[in-house]
Amino acid sequence: MTEIGLCHPSNSLWASPIVVKMNEKGVCIVGDYCKLNNQTVADRYPLPNLHDSVSDLFGKTVFSCIDLNRAFHNIPMLEEDICKTAVITPVGLYEYFRLPFGLKNGPGSFQRFLGSVLLGFLLFSIILMTSLFTPQVLKNIMSI
């Protein structure tokens, strides 16, 4: 993960254990931030209402979708919060300078960031662009 720029060695006073999970793509290493999350003030940024989002599809005939597979790890952490993301590994302590999975306010931060960048196009972790005709969808794609 250091090779792809997600984390770096740390001297933080904060430290969370890691959880190793197997998924269809291989091994997934995630920080177990339960104790940190218990001390975190909740950010109540609203996630999109699925019913409202689906009702916006009514009458549309052209759909284009962009999957945000790796976008979560592209959200920068605030400098003062980087030390709190430290995880204990068998080879030392590492901290993230990009948003890791497992933080209490991670989904809200992700949604706020994407909502500010992609206003009007967002449906959870997929950008969904709709239109009544093809040229409008192409225009929407080019605007992103």
Side-chain angles (χ1 to χ4, degrees), residues 2 24 29 31 34 37 53-54 57 83 92 96 98 107 112 123-124 126 131 133 136:
T2 56
E24 63 278 352
I29 300 172
C34 289
N37 289 339
S53 299
V54 171
L57 303 178
C83 63
Y96 291 91
R98 301 284 183 183
R112 177 181 289 112
L123 176 65
F124 299 98
I126 296 175
S131 178
F133 56 98
Q136 183 62 43

Side-chain angles (χ1 to χ4, degrees), residues 1-122:
M1 292 194 321
T2 56
E3 295 84 21
I4 59 175
L6 290 179
C7 63
H8 57 261
S10 174
N11 292 320
S12 175
L13 298 176
W14 295 81
S16 296
I18 58 170
V19 177
V20 180
K21 295 183 178 184
M22 293 295 295
N23 62 22
E24 63 278 352
K25 296 179 184 176
V27 176
C28 181
I29 300 172
V30 182
D32 179 6
Y33 294 112
C34 289
K35 289 186 179 182
L36 175 63
N37 289 339
N38 288 337
Q39 298 177 34
T40 301
V41 176
D43 176 5
R44 300 292 183 197
Y45 188 81
L47 297 177
N49 181 300
L50 184 58
H51 184 274
D52 293 342
S53 299
V54 171
S55 66
D56 289 342
L57 303 178
F58 181 76
K60 304 298 191 296
T61 57
V62 181
F63 301 90
S64 181
C65 177
I66 300 173
D67 188 0
L68 302 175
N69 188 23
R70 303 218 188 278
F72 201 84
H73 287 303
N74 288 309
I75 310 299
M77 294 288 299
L78 292 175
E79 188 69 34
E80 63 267 18
D81 292 332
I82 291 175
C83 63
K84 297 173 187 172
T85 67
V87 291
I88 305 165
T89 73
V91 293
L93 193 63
Y94 288 84
E95 62 189 17
Y96 291 91
F97 50 93
R98 301 284 183 183
L99 186 61
F101 289 111
L103 294 178
K104 182 177 192 172
N105 292 330
S109 298
F110 178 72
Q111 192 70 35
R112 177 181 289 112
F113 178 81
L114 291 178
S116 68
V117 173
L118 304 167
L119 187 62
F121 295 120
L122 192 60

Side-chain angles (χ1 to χ4, degrees), residues 131-142:
S131 178
L132 297 173
F133 56 98
T134 304
Q136 183 62 43
V137 169
L138 294 175
K139 182 180 175 186
N140 292 343
I141 291 171
M142 296 308 289

